[in-house]
Amino acid sequence: LAGHRVCQVSPAQADEKTLRRVAQALLGARSPVIITEYAGRDPGALECLVRLAELLGCPVMEPGMRGFLNFPTTHPLYLRFDPKVVAAADVVFIAGASTPWYPVSRRPESVSQVIALDSDFPKSHLPSLGAPADLAIPAPMGPALARLADMVASERGERLATESRLRSVQWQQQHERQRQALEKEAQAVREQRPISSRWLCHVLDRVLPQDAVVFQEVTVQRQLAMDYIERSLPGTFYGRISGGLGVSLGYALGIKLAAPQALSVALVGDGAFHYNPALACFGLAQEYRLPIMVVVFDNGAYASMRRDILEFFPQGWAQRTSTFYGSDILPRPDYAAIAAAYGGYGVCVREPGELEPALRRAMDEARGRLALVDVVLSG
């Protein structure tokens, strides 16, 4: 078919010839970009991505479904996802991610080459989200990234090293601009009542230590959580990358079993909370002394359902009558009382000035028992 791109799939291993071809493509790129969502599930992949990005002087971005800590979000080459940066790239290297544009036919004209490295290609379980690659390498990401970084380091001459350093400065400036913009936007809503989701995420970033292990199961606030809650250490972030809701409390307990000394934190929307087997999980936490910290993003609704109705039927009956059956969670349950019923600490926060003290108190309580903070949000 006219205009149809043929994807070359390498053998199911990261062979030297293929990796050298990738290294040459990245070194020859004017403006390379790395896209990832779950490379961090492979041991050593994060460190290798950092090395590769620094050698190339290129940004690393996540399209919005981060499943693991793939790249330190405090690193100067980390960018919050910006479609304009992708559109200006000539080579896009996808390391464990679905496509950075949807549908796949919307590939920017400036992108001359898309290279995909993934242990599962071409995404047989997600046929509508597969990467539109020119070259696909189905191989374990950790070892492949390590070898690729070695090749780039050995083949990068002084001229390319200088170009990489200049690009690094550019992306570091954009990284700082993004962080400053987020800070400004958070400060603008610090007194908002009900509490702004943006302010909650900002305060969480301020109070959570970098070695806390965070599992994120929020939906409408997912991008805010990714943008604000910075993580720098491998294995300190987990999120949903497929499937439905109802897993955060079990994951937080599993993290606590695997790392008893870690502060295990579940960020869960009130809608997702109802999908979780909350009573069973809280009972397990009590019986086996597995203290976790739970922060409920409480907007009183299955807000993503309402959002989708408005997006797909903007002139529909629900919009005209302000009727959204099944989307409200009202009257609000007493989430703090549920935690208390299982020997835990629970508190409901409605005032922005009470938020940080409540979160810090919950962190202290979570050293010895279940702790839950119900934050009533504006949306």
Side-chain angles (χ1 to χ4, degrees), residues 55-238:
L55 287 167
L56 296 169
C58 76
V60 177
M61 294 187 293
E62 298 163 315
M65 290 292 285
R66 183 200 304 161
F68 303 84
L69 187 63
N70 309 299
F71 196 87
T73 60
T74 55
H75 194 285
L77 287 174
Y78 179 81
L79 292 187
R80 278 70 179 174
F81 185 70
D82 185 346
K84 294 180 181 178
V85 174
V86 178
D90 52 349
V91 175
V92 175
F93 180 53
I94 301 177
S98 55
T99 178
W101 50 81
Y102 184 84
V104 295
S105 60
R106 290 184 178 174
R107 171 173 172 158
E109 293 183 2
S110 64
V111 177
S112 61
Q113 192 169 13
V114 176
I115 302 166
L117 170 65
D118 203 321
S119 55
D120 173 34
F121 191 90
K123 296 272 190 304
S124 58
H125 65 298
L126 294 172
S128 65
L129 294 177
D134 301 295
L135 173 63
I137 309 167
M141 285 180 283
L145 287 170
R147 185 69 187 116
L148 180 60
D150 287 343
M151 288 182 175
V152 169
S154 65
E155 297 182 17
R156 188 185 69 156
E158 186 57 36
R159 179 182 63 82
L160 293 177
T162 300
E163 291 178 1
S164 297
R165 286 192 291 270
L166 292 174
R167 283 198 297 259
S168 293
V169 172
Q170 169 196 348
W171 298 124
Q172 180 175 354
Q173 292 171 347
Q174 182 155 342
H175 171 86
E176 289 303 323
R177 285 195 296 270
Q178 287 184 337
R179 295 181 79 188
Q180 291 169 9
L182 288 169
E183 174 70 22
K184 182 178 180 180
E185 291 166 359
Q187 293 298 332
V189 296
R190 64 181 301 165
E191 301 297 335
Q192 181 176 304
R193 295 174 177 80
I195 297 169
S196 165
S197 300
R198 184 180 297 274
W199 182 245
L200 169 57
C201 292
H202 173 78
V203 176
L204 281 166
D205 176 62
R206 193 159 64 195
V207 304
L208 291 176
Q210 282 300 308
D211 59 356
V213 183
V214 176
F215 187 89
Q216 179 265 110
E217 191 181 20
V218 296
T219 303
V220 295
Q221 306 97 344
R222 179 179 61 208
Q223 193 62 51
L224 286 176
M226 287 177 54
D227 286 345
Y228 277 95
I229 304 174
E230 296 191 322
R231 303 276 87 197
S232 60
L233 302 177
T236 57
F237 179 90
Y238 297 89

